[in-house]
Amino acid sequence: QKQLIEFYCKKIKGLYKHAQAMKTAICNIKIIEGFSEDNRMSICVTKNTLEANEQWLTRLFKELDNRYPESKLNNKIIIISSKKNDLDGNATHCKNVQDAIYLLTKKNDFKIIFMCSNKRRITDILDISIRIKDNVQIRKNLYILHDEAHNPKEGIPPYREIIENILLLPNVISYTPVSASLGDIADETNPLWIKSNLEKTAINYLNYNEKYNVKSNSQNYSSISNYIQTNI
C-alpha cells in the first residue's frame, strides 16, 4: 500500500505560487513541450468559463504561432464546451465529450484539450482517458493541468474522488494543480493529498528560469515599483 501511494503521489506535480508569479508561463512551457513529443496530449482544466481564461489562451496561441508558424492550430486544439467556441478558428469545438471521443478514437494530431472546471468536464477527462488508453494506434500520454485547483466549488475539493480515479489510469502521466496556495487542495486525512507530499512533488520554478523565483515582497511583484499614488 505504501508503494502504491508513493507511486500515485508522484503523479501530482503542482504549481503553487502567488498571483502574477508567471504560473501561466510555466503552464505554456509544459504544453508546448508536448508538441515535439509523439503521443503526448495536454488537458487544460480552466476556470469556470473559457472566457475567463482569455489571457492564458491568447498567450499560448502567440507562443505556438511563433514556434510552429506552419501548423494549423485547429488540428491541434480541441475545446469541449456546451457553448460554441472555436477560439476564432484556432480550435476544433466539441459540444460534448462524445464529439471529442469520436475525434480522438481516430488517427489524429490533437495535442491540447481545453475545458472549463465543473463535474461534467472532470468526468469527461476520466471518460477520454479510459477510451484511448488501450489502443496503440490512438493512445496518448496525458498531462493534465487544473487551474485554480484550490477552489472549493470548481477545483479539487468537490471532485477529489473522480480525480483519484483519473490518477489510477496508466496513460495519465501527471496531474498538475495550479494555484496560488495549497489551500483546500491538501487533505491530511488522505495519504494522496497530504501537504508534505504535495510540496515534495511540486514543480520547482528554478528548473525553468531563475526569474520565476519571485517573492511577494519584491519591488517588481505585480509592478509595485511602477505604482502611481491615487487619493480616494
Side-chain angles (χ1 to χ4, degrees), residues 216-229:
S216 59
N217 59 359
S218 165
Q219 285 297 302
N220 294 319
Y221 171 62
S222 293
S223 301
I224 288 173
S225 60
N226 298 326
Y227 79 93
I228 298 174
Q229 184 172 325

Side-chain angles (χ1 to χ4, degrees), residues 14-191:
L15 272 174
Y16 313 117
K17 200 74 168 175
H18 52 74
Q20 305 301 322
M22 304 181 185
K23 292 192 295 295
T24 301
I26 295 285
C27 288
N28 287 349
I29 288 171
K30 292 180 71 62
I31 291 168
I32 291 169
E33 282 174 353
F35 266 64
S36 57
E37 289 186 25
D38 292 335
N39 302 321
R40 172 170 169 170
M41 186 163 65
S42 300
I43 298 181
C44 305
V45 183
T46 67
K47 297 173 186 175
N48 54 354
T49 63
L50 291 172
E51 288 79 4
N53 295 271
E54 183 178 355
Q55 183 183 23
W56 182 3
L57 297 170
T58 302
R59 196 179 301 176
L60 177 61
F61 293 155
K62 185 175 180 180
E63 291 179 31
L64 288 172
D65 279 335
N66 289 338
R67 293 201 185 202
Y68 305 97
E70 303 300 322
S71 294
K72 285 188 174 182
L73 292 182
N74 63 347
N75 293 330
K76 305 288 187 183
I77 302 172
I78 288 177
I79 297 286
I80 302 178
S81 173
S82 55
K83 181 181 177 182
K84 175 74 173 178
N85 190 337
D86 65 0
L87 304 175
D88 296 324
N90 286 303
T92 295
H93 173 256
C94 292
K95 187 174 182 179
N96 51 50
V97 71
Q98 287 76 25
D99 290 349
I101 287 173
Y102 173 76
L103 296 174
L104 294 169
T105 50
K106 300 188 294 184
K107 191 170 177 58
N108 65 85
D109 294 320
F110 290 111
K111 291 289 187 180
I112 310 172
I113 298 177
F114 270 101
M115 60 178 70
C116 54
S117 53
N118 57 52
K119 186 174 183 179
R120 180 193 302 170
R121 297 297 171 229
I122 301 297
T123 304
D124 287 348
I125 296 175
L126 182 61
D127 290 343
I128 289 169
S129 306
I130 291 171
R131 288 295 297 275
I132 67 173
K133 73 181 176 66
D134 293 325
N135 188 325
V136 177
Q137 301 296 322
I138 59 171
R139 176 187 165 119
K140 292 187 178 172
N141 296 321
L142 302 178
Y143 293 73
I144 302 166
L145 297 105
H146 191 160
D147 196 21
E148 298 293 319
H150 64 278
N151 191 299
K153 293 183 179 179
E154 302 288 346
I156 290 171
Y159 312 131
R160 202 180 296 272
E161 291 185 8
I162 303 172
I163 292 166
E164 288 173 1
N165 277 278
I166 292 169
L167 286 168
L168 290 173
L169 296 170
N171 56 331
V172 174
I173 307 304
S174 71
Y175 172 80
T176 299
V178 181
S179 175
S181 67
L182 278 166
D184 291 332
I185 295 173
D187 180 357
E188 297 302 317
T189 66
N190 186 327

